[in-house]
Amino acid sequence: MDIHKGIVCGLTGEKGNFEETCPNYAGVIRKRVGVNRTEITEKELNIQREASVSGWLAFFLWFGVGGSVIGTTINTFIAFLPVGFTLFTALFCMLYIACYLVTAVLTINAFYQKKSNAVSLARTFVGLVLVDLVSTIIIGFIVDDFSDVLNIIRPAIWSCIWLTYLSIASVVENLIPSVTRTWERTEKVILSVFIVLCILVCGVTYYNVKSPFSGVLVSNDSMIESVIQEMNMALPDCSDPELTIERIVVESGKIVYTTRYNEFEDEFDLYQEELASELGKKEILCELVNGDDAEMKEFLDLIFAEGYSLCYRYLNSNRSFLYEVVISEAEYKEVLRGYVELNCNK
């Protein structure tokens, strides 16, 4: 409203000179607070109307943004499927992928619809990538693993290139003029949620390093399998001149330690088998209860909590079965709590 002229055009400052419909109207153009800008001319409006998504901008949208979402989704499932999904990792993956996917869809749509927040959405998407890379570096320091350095450097370089492109490319300026650009609440919320998500996963990773058997980041079954694989890397163990621990496997509800007598070729009769089993169980329980390996005790608590029992299977030097000792959770806990006295010194 103008006191002298009445209602005037927000673009030209003049009274309307058209019948029913203004040919120059191109949607609501919002002013950036605190910025002195020149009026948008009819020529600039025509350039915006005629501009289209093409060339490197189309490549950025469909390959850089769309392709990244597909690759991120696939890589996320590849990373977590082998270790199993806990409640935390399932929620994390859903929110993590959702942030990328929603931002990508909104960005592509905004450019084709020539929305004022198209550039800010594109920059938000690149921001997600950079925040993700920073959290990956932090996690690398936490777990002391920098095997993914190349996977960090490449996206970082591409992110810098695309940020520069969005700032200087004429096709972007023609499509979304600088003076019309806005940063909406949607992209602010997405970026904030993603930053909180990355901070949370860094914290949980640190907690998991301190308490590896917590079951927060990795499922218990996957943790058991991972520990057994690590233990098998140090086998066979020939430190005892009489016995060799050959391998450890998971077998129908049991964690089976296969042990071979190095120089014993005979087989046991029933009495020998019962006696060896009884003495072997006492010796193994003494070692388990009196051992000072805190990590091993946490591992025992984990496997018993998951319903496994320990099985020590003994073979002769020809690898024929001799006997086996099975230790249940109840037997271990009774000795641990002092309900059963073993006289381990004898």
Side-chain angles (χ1 to χ4, degrees), residues 3 24 28 56 71 80 85 98 153 196 259 263 280 293 300 326 329:
I3 295 177
N24 295 329
V28 178
W56 284 108
F80 282 100
F85 284 95
I153 294 175
V196 171
T259 305
E263 298 179 358
D293 189 341
L300 290 174
V326 178
E329 178 184 13

Side-chain angles (χ1 to χ4, degrees), residues 130-145:
L130 292 175
V131 171
D132 197 0
L133 296 179
V134 170
S135 67
T136 302
I137 294 171
I138 294 173
I139 290 173
F141 278 106
I142 292 173
V143 301
D144 195 21
D145 181 7

Side-chain angles (χ1 to χ4, degrees), residues 227-243:
V227 171
I228 290 175
Q229 287 178 353
E230 187 176 339
M231 293 169 73
N232 275 324
M233 291 176 65
L235 299 180
D237 181 2
C238 304
S239 55
D240 189 328
E242 295 183 0
L243 298 171

